[in-house]
Amino acid sequence: MKAADLDLLVGVSTPTVHPGGGRAVVAVTHPSLSADATVGQLWTIPLGGHAAPKLLTRGFRDTAPRFSPDGRLLAFLRAEPKRPPQLFVVDAAGGEPVAVTDRKLGVTEFDWSPDGRTLAFVSREPEQGRYGTVEGIDPNGEPARRIQSLKYQANGVGYTIDRRAHVFVVSVPDVWAAPSPVPAPRPDGSSDPAPAVAEPRQLTDGPWDDGSISFSPDGRRIAFISARHASRDVDLRSNVFTVPVEGGDARDLTGPHGSYSMVDARFAPGGALFFTAQDVGESGRDFVAKNTALYVIEADGETPRRLTDPEPVDLTESSIVPVRDDAVLVQDRRRGALVLVEVDAAGESRDLTDERTVVGGAGVAGETVVVSFADARTSGDVAVVDSGGLHRLTDLSAPLRATGIVEPVELTVTGRDGYPVHGWVLTPEGEGPHPVLLNIHGGPYAAYTGALFDEAQVYVAAGYAVVMCNPRGAAGYGQEHGRVIRQRMGTVDLADVLDFLDGAIAETPGLDRERVGIMGGSYGGYLTAWTIAHDHRFAAAIVERGFLDPDAFVGTSDIGSFFGDEYTGTDPELMRSQSPQAVVDRVRTPTLVLHSSSDLRCPLSQAERYYAALKRRGVETELVVFPGEDHELSRSGRPRHRRERFDIILDWWAEHLPSRSNHR
């Protein structure tokens, strides 16, 4: 795979399965270099026979399909170029989609009522006078923001305090009715025609964000997650609430019962409420390597009951999918995989997929379970789960494989202290010795997987062996594995990545131990910067969107009020002992610093201070700043910027670590 092949990199949404069986619908998206945007449409996937998948919609970016409970309608989100997504419905058999919303800031999620006559959705409500609510006032002409909280921005969103996310309900339009030829005038009497959508009814309000909505089986209530308690500005707690569909006060179901940081909540058909959450302890901030567990509330007023053990089981990347009155499907983050697991209300569980597959989402109808997944040969496909594992229904990555894909080789290396370090190695075709790139993932409580990874494929196609592992601090190996670096960053995690690098070179033929580069983003940027201050073997380094200065993180990052406090502590000397900025004077390695101008997770100032320190000390360095991008540039940024990023990275390696196919 080359950078120019980004158009072939597909993503597949969570499937929705028709209640009558027979077919599923997914959104298939991909970065488009010509449109300079992520584009996508809905596809219908037959579940039986030999019929081929078929295009169902033709929007610019159609996502998040959901069949109505009776299967007659299909709801989804549609985004037009440079506009936020809106909610649409269409006859499930096909036809012209009908708009349900025309929200100024778009719609982020939705749910069907059990009778299929109402849709609930979540949307940000802009403060009057901001975000285009008054014609002629651009962002620079808006009133000053008066901020009194610590949490007021979010990466990828911007300011949140003046556009809170809340729950709305709206009647489902009649998709079979003839369209009105002349829109009615707006209620405010303006001469502009009103949009041909019903006015939604707002159910929640207040200085907080609400989300993760689910209708109760009787259709009378909607469950949602929110942080409404008095100390929400200084802790990570959130609770599950319900609000009557007809309107009224929200009721807290979980607040009196524990210290939860909620992830997802979903009613099962029998009325039990399942939710996933981290236990963040007495302080409400103890989040480091705390795995997400599954809980159930079986009846109103009952205390939540935990169903999974958070030490070995991690449901952080999971969505809850009810399969029966007393059971749900979840995804367990395990050794570089996302394993689909069924868990019942007694806490009994069984795996439905193996430990090599990354299950992105699941849809259920009766006994039929359909998943979207990725593995070593696909970035996204659809399969039915049966007794033999996965029965693949699509081959969406075939064009990408035709460009040349190298499958990773799984490897476990025993480190200097006897600890096993797990990861993967990708080796270019042809005889070695090949120059080596040590890649370090972000997080730190995240993980590389064995699935097709565009970055590794681009580098191996350019002639580099790629080495990547999940050191201590990573997710998927139990809480102790992740928690050991709490206020000890740059200790055993540094040892693990270096030991894995040495072991990979020793055990993999054709790798050149004398020609090695190092790179990483976010926490990977942190550990790259930390490593080159302590180990000078590397020909060059790339530090991307890094967490580089814990002290300066507070007050600048959207997670600065808690992240550094928990990971590096608050004692100045302790923080300094884990700070790449504090040891920048030891760096001799040529270093490329990559960052995005609108990164609110690891702010641009982190990169600027680090770059300036290198420059002032005479280290060969370059700072690259991508305009308009945030922390997610490499995953979901503008496609032309993503391609340019690859070009800049390969140009840096061509200068400092040339390969046979990548040199000047």
Side-chain angles (χ1 to χ4, degrees):
M1 175 186 175
K2 298 185 183 299
D5 298 322
L6 271 173
D7 284 52
L8 304 179
L9 193 69
V10 298
V12 179
S13 74
T14 295
T16 182
V17 185
H18 192 274
R23 67 186 177 114
V25 172
V26 296
V28 179
T29 57
H30 69 92
S32 169
L33 290 167
S34 60
D36 199 22
T38 298
V39 302
Q41 294 78 38
L42 306 186
W43 287 75
T44 185
I45 314 292
L47 302 183
H50 302 285
K54 183 173 63 174
L55 189 67
L56 187 63
T57 64
R58 296 181 178 275
F60 181 76
R61 184 167 61 251
D62 296 340
T63 59
R66 289 278 298 276
F67 280 114
S68 61
D70 62 7
R72 299 178 69 207
L73 295 172
L74 183 71
F76 63 96
L77 299 180
R78 167 169 284 181
E80 300 298 339
K82 299 182 180 180
R83 295 186 63 82
Q86 303 292 345
L87 183 56
F88 279 72
V89 293
V90 65
D91 187 322
E96 184 70 20
V98 175
V100 181
T101 64
D102 184 25
R103 299 285 300 166
K104 178 68 70 175
L105 301 180
V107 172
T108 55
E109 60 171 297
F110 65 90
D111 193 34
W112 284 99
S113 66
D115 63 9
R117 299 165 66 178
T118 303
L119 283 160
F121 64 88
V122 175
S123 177
R124 290 194 175 274
E125 179 72 3
E127 185 179 285
Q128 186 63 22
R130 302 190 190 277
Y131 306 110
T133 53
V134 176
E135 188 175 354
I137 297 181
D138 64 19
N140 291 329
E142 293 176 357
R145 289 178 174 85
R146 303 180 68 172
I147 298 168
Q148 297 178 315
S149 62
L150 285 171
K151 301 175 184 176
Y152 54 89
Q153 293 191 93
N155 184 69
V157 177
Y159 289 103
T160 56
I161 54 173
D162 48 23
R163 44 176 164 181
R164 291 296 188 180
H166 290 300
V167 183
F168 299 76
V169 290
V170 64
S171 296
V172 176
D174 183 355
V175 301
W176 301 283
S180 174
V182 180
R186 291 184 182 274
D188 62 5
S190 64
S191 57
D192 293 337
V197 299
E199 186 68 25
R201 185 160 48 86
Q202 186 170 342
L203 293 185
T204 66
D205 199 0
W208 38 64
D209 290 337
D210 305 322
S212 189
I213 56 176
S214 176
F215 268 100
S216 63
D218 61 10
R220 296 178 180 178
R221 297 176 296 156
I222 296 173
F224 63 94
I225 291 172
S226 189
R228 299 181 166 208
H229 55 288
S231 62
R232 63 185 178 274
D233 197 38
V234 294
D235 65 37
L236 302 174
R237 294 187 183 99
S238 53
N239 299 319
V240 179
F241 296 79
T242 59
V243 63
V245 172
E246 295 306 313
D249 294 334
R251 178 187 172 198
D252 186 353
L253 301 186
T254 55
H257 302 296
S259 186
Y260 303 114
S261 179
M262 297 292 173
V263 177
D264 192 21
R266 179 69 47 181
F267 277 111
L273 180 71
F274 291 84
F275 67 88
T276 50
Q278 292 176 303
D279 182 348
V280 289
E282 185 176 345
S283 69
R285 297 161 57 94
D286 188 7
F287 77 97
V288 173
K290 286 295 190 75
N291 282 346
T292 297
L294 178 67
Y295 298 78
V296 65
I297 302 174
E298 294 182 284
D300 276 0
E302 289 195 359
T303 300
R305 186 161 50 85
R306 198 183 73 195
L307 302 177
T308 60
D309 181 354
E311 174 50 46
V313 177
D314 183 8
L315 308 181
T316 300
E317 296 186 38
S318 179
S319 296
I320 299 171
V321 181
V323 287
R324 298 190 304 276
D325 288 351
D326 66 342
V328 296
L329 298 181
V330 288
Q331 297 124 281
D332 178 17
R333 188 162 58 172
R334 189 187 309 169
R335 290 182 61 81
L338 282 175
V339 181
L340 188 67
V341 182
E342 181 183 293
V343 184
D344 65 23
E348 298 295 322
S349 66
R350 65 185 181 103
D351 291 356
L352 301 185
T353 59
D354 62 32
E355 293 191 359
R356 294 178 180 271
T357 304
V358 177
V359 174
V364 176
E367 298 298 315
T368 302
V369 179
V370 181
V371 298
S372 56
F373 73 97
D375 61 22
R377 294 178 56 79
T378 179
S379 60
D381 266 304
V382 183
V384 171
V385 180
D386 58 30
S387 58
L390 296 184
H391 174 64
R392 185 190 295 259
L393 301 174
T394 62
D395 192 6
L396 300 171
S397 288
L400 184 61
R401 285 200 306 278
T403 69
I405 291 296
V406 174
E407 294 190 31
V409 175
E410 192 170 3
L411 181 66
T412 298
V413 170
T414 300
R416 67 192 70 178
D417 60 358
Y419 198 83
V421 189
H422 177 234
W424 294 265
V425 180
L426 293 85
T427 307
E429 293 183 357
E431 293 185 8
H434 305 289
V436 180
L437 296 180
L438 173 61
N439 281 36
I440 306 175
H441 66 67
Y445 206 53
Y448 280 129
T449 76
L452 195 155
F453 180 32
D454 63 316
E455 299 209 24
Q457 294 298 330
V458 168
Y459 305 146
V460 78
Y464 298 97
V466 178
V467 173
M468 53 190 198
C469 68
N470 293 327
R472 276 170 281 188
Y477 304 82
Q479 292 183 142
E480 184 179 353
H481 176 93
R483 199 166 172 83
V484 69
I485 69 164
R486 180 177 183 268
Q487 299 181 16
R488 296 180 63 231
M489 292 181 73
T491 57
V492 294
D493 46 347
L494 171 63
D496 284 356
V497 295
L498 294 179
D499 290 348
F500 189 83
L501 172 64
D502 291 336
I505 292 173
E507 296 186 31
T508 308
L511 274 59
D512 189 345
R513 69 170 56 252
E514 302 301 323
R515 302 176 63 236
V516 182
I518 184 172
M519 63 191 302
S522 196
Y523 162 74
Y526 165 90
L527 197 51
T528 297
W530 185 256
T531 301
I532 60 177
H534 294 84
D535 190 310
H536 305 295
R537 76 176 78 177
F538 299 99
I542 299 178
V543 172
E544 184 171 14
R545 59 182 187 276
F547 169 60
L548 304 174
D549 187 347
D551 189 53
F553 209 64
V554 179
T556 60
S557 168
D558 65 342
I559 59 173
S561 62
F562 62 89
F563 181 87
D565 291 359
E566 295 300 314
Y567 262 110
T568 62
T570 57
D571 177 78
E573 286 305 311
L574 180 62
M575 294 170 66
R576 184 176 176 82
S577 72
Q578 301 165 83
S579 169
Q581 190 71 34
V583 292
V584 69
D585 59 318
R586 304 181 193 175
V587 176
R588 305 197 297 263
T589 306
T591 302
L592 174 66
V593 182
L594 293 178
H595 223 92
S596 295
S597 65
S598 299
D599 190 338
L600 297 179
R601 183 61 38 85
C602 292
L604 178 59
S605 59
Q606 295 275 306
E608 290 173 325
R609 294 194 70 233
Y610 186 74
Y611 164 75
L614 292 175
K615 196 74 173 175
R616 285 159 62 92
R617 287 165 174 79
V619 177
E620 182 182 353
T621 186
E622 180 180 351
L623 174 65
V624 176
V625 180
F626 286 90
E629 300 289 356
D630 60 32
H631 200 65
E632 301 303 309
L633 164 63
S634 64
R635 295 176 281 261
S636 58
R638 295 175 66 141
R640 292 177 195 167
H641 278 161
R642 290 176 67 181
R643 178 175 177 174
E644 183 184 15
R645 170 183 171 272
F646 276 136
D647 291 340
I648 290 169
I649 287 171
L650 292 178
D651 184 60
W652 179 260
W653 292 129
E655 179 180 356
H656 295 92
L657 189 66
S659 69
R660 289 191 180 94
S661 52
N662 184 50
H663 54 83
R664 288 184 167 179

